[in-house]
Amino acid sequence: MQLVKNIRNNMRKVFWVLFFTAFIWAFLGLKNSINQDKLNKELKTQSTIDSLVFKIDSLQYVTDSLVEQYQLFDNIVEPVNNMMDIINAIMEVESSNNDSAYNAYEDAVGCLQIRQTMVNDVNRILKKYKSTLRFTYNDRWSRNKSIQMFEIYCNYYGLITAEEIARCWNGGPRGINNTATVGYWKKVKGKINS
């Protein structure tokens, strides 16, 4: 009888040791599973953060590129409304506001009647400022690109007043000193005031 009792006690001890071991093993497994889930969530969160940081960096690069391309416009003294009034008046005088206007004699193209020498000058200015932006002769047919070239030209040569802008657009960078541009200015001024 004593032997049976000892066997039962030993069996109980073995059972409790096995039960305790299984409990500890299950607890540690559950803890590892929770830790693994937590680690997976952290990795997923970090991956999302890295992806967003990459997108932000890409957008920053695009923004920096745009700022570099348009940095030449930062110093325009006159308000944009006034500058647009002048541009609109010059477009009316040059081409009757026609994007498809072409003067074969001067090879003047588009709404602002831009010649190849103007495109070359604007590209020279852009190169001087280490901008990657460049214009082609075909860009003269585009109203937006023509206006960009106009603004780069005016800003570079420090043209501030409407008269300076108009006369130098007509007669080159020193057009304000050329009496032949006075008549052109009168036409532009008439369009501004109308």
Side-chain angles (χ1 to χ4, degrees):
M1 212 30 149
Q2 185 62 29
L3 183 62
V4 173
K5 228 180 188 184
N6 283 342
I7 291 176
R8 280 188 189 162
N9 281 339
N10 285 338
M11 295 270 292
R12 279 187 198 153
K13 288 178 185 175
V14 168
F15 172 76
W16 282 109
V17 166
L18 287 174
F19 176 76
F20 184 71
T21 302
F23 177 77
I24 294 293
W25 183 75
F27 176 76
L28 291 175
L30 181 61
K31 185 177 177 190
N32 285 341
S33 175
I34 290 170
N35 287 343
Q36 188 62 42
D37 286 346
K38 186 177 177 183
L39 183 61
N40 287 343
K41 286 179 184 177
E42 288 174 359
L43 288 174
K44 186 176 179 181
T45 301
Q46 188 60 48
S47 176
T48 302
I49 290 170
D50 291 345
S51 173
L52 292 173
V53 165
F54 177 76
K55 287 179 182 176
I56 289 170
D57 287 346
S58 296
L59 289 172
Q60 185 63 47
Y61 175 77
V62 170
T63 303
D64 289 347
S65 296
L66 289 172
V67 166
E68 178 186 330
Q69 287 180 6
Y70 297 105
Q71 71 185 355
L72 298 172
F73 305 133
D74 290 343
N75 298 325
I76 292 177
V77 175
E78 297 192 39
V80 174
N81 292 351
N82 196 9
M83 179 61 93
M84 285 312 298
D85 289 344
I86 296 165
I87 291 172
N88 287 330
I90 290 174
M91 283 192 292
E92 191 63 36
V93 169
E94 289 285 354
S95 67
S96 297
N97 216 3
N98 180 1
D99 293 334
S100 299
Y102 178 66
N103 179 335
Y105 178 73
E106 294 183 7
D107 188 32
V109 174
C111 61
L112 285 167
Q113 291 293 281
I114 297 175
R115 291 182 272 181
Q116 289 182 3
T117 57
M118 175 63 70
V119 176
N120 296 340
D121 193 29
V122 168
N123 284 334
R124 179 191 61 79
I125 293 165
L126 291 168
K127 185 177 179 182
K128 181 177 179 176
Y129 282 101
K130 296 181 176 38
S131 172
T132 57
L133 178 65
R134 294 293 183 276
F135 294 97
T136 66
Y137 298 141
N138 284 336
D139 289 337
R140 299 176 294 169
W141 296 105
S142 164
R143 178 177 295 253
N144 289 335
K145 290 182 180 183
S146 293
I147 291 171
Q148 281 182 307
M149 286 188 267
F150 178 90
E151 290 176 333
I152 291 167
Y153 176 84
C154 291
N155 186 49
Y156 179 76
Y157 289 109
L159 309 176
I160 297 171
T161 68
E163 183 177 1
E164 285 176 326
I165 292 169
R167 291 180 66 186
C168 291
W169 184 254
N170 179 248
R174 294 187 189 105
I176 192 70
N177 301 321
N178 185 344
T179 55
T181 62
V182 173
Y184 181 83
W185 163 238
K186 287 180 182 175
K187 289 180 193 175
V188 172
K189 186 176 179 182
K191 296 294 183 185
I192 291 173
N193 293 332
S194 65

